[in-house]
Amino acid sequence: QVQLVESGGGEVQPGGSLTLSCAASGFYFSSYAMSWVRQAPGKGFEWVSEINSGGGITYYEDSVKGRFTISRDNAKNTLYLQMNSLKQEDTALYYCAKAPRPFAQQRGRVVAYSDYDYWGQGTQVTVSS
């Protein structure tokens, strides 16, 4: 069955960096676009970034553009999110999600659970001084 397992979250001071990973299994990872989505306490799902199946096309939400980098290693079935210059407002539970298509899309800030066909369990990122 499809599994998405995130790791790499933690607590970091403002201005710090973290790299999230998402290990995928149970499907042809290299055939599908993948996304990172986050959810802060009491808020909905906020789209962060998306990458196409081949890894050459990426999109970012405006608030993370220039600070976050999405990438993937199709040989390792792994998705990454490099996060630099972290801010307190980046505090959230970060999910990786599988898109039902190979091409990436620029999404709106708010996405629905049904926009993706599989989600991981999430990894917590806390930015605090």
Side-chain angles (χ1 to χ4, degrees):
Q1 72 277 21
V2 173
Q3 283 195 312
L4 299 171
V5 181
E6 301 96 335
S7 61
E11 186 165 352
V12 64
Q13 292 186 337
S17 298
L18 283 173
T19 299
L20 307 184
S21 299
C22 172
S25 61
F27 66 102
Y28 289 108
F29 180 73
S30 60
S31 294
Y32 295 93
M34 297 291 296
S35 275
W36 287 99
V37 179
R38 65 188 181 186
Q39 186 176 33
K43 296 190 175 181
F45 293 115
E46 180 184 24
W47 178 75
V48 175
S49 183
E50 191 157 295
I51 188 168
N52 74 326
S53 59
I57 299 174
T58 58
Y59 296 102
Y60 297 92
E61 200 276 322
D62 284 347
S63 68
V64 308
K65 204 171 291 184
R67 299 189 298 122
F68 290 11
T69 302
I70 190 171
S71 63
R72 64 192 296 162
D73 185 336
N74 286 343
K76 295 182 178 180
N77 288 353
T78 304
L79 176 73
Y80 302 99
L81 185 68
Q82 173 68 44
M83 305 186 294
N84 298 326
S85 303
L86 282 160
K87 305 176 181 179
Q88 287 187 329
E89 51 263 43
D90 295 318
T91 295
L93 187 61
Y94 282 72
Y95 298 95
C96 71
K98 174 189 170 294
R101 45 179 162 72
F103 56 90
Q105 292 180 332
Q106 179 72 45
R107 307 303 302 269
R109 186 160 188 158
V110 177
V111 293
Y113 189 82
S114 59
D115 286 340
Y116 297 94
D117 50 7
Y118 291 96
W119 294 66
Q121 83 289 347
T123 186
Q124 179 67 38
V125 172
T126 302
V127 185
S128 173
S129 55

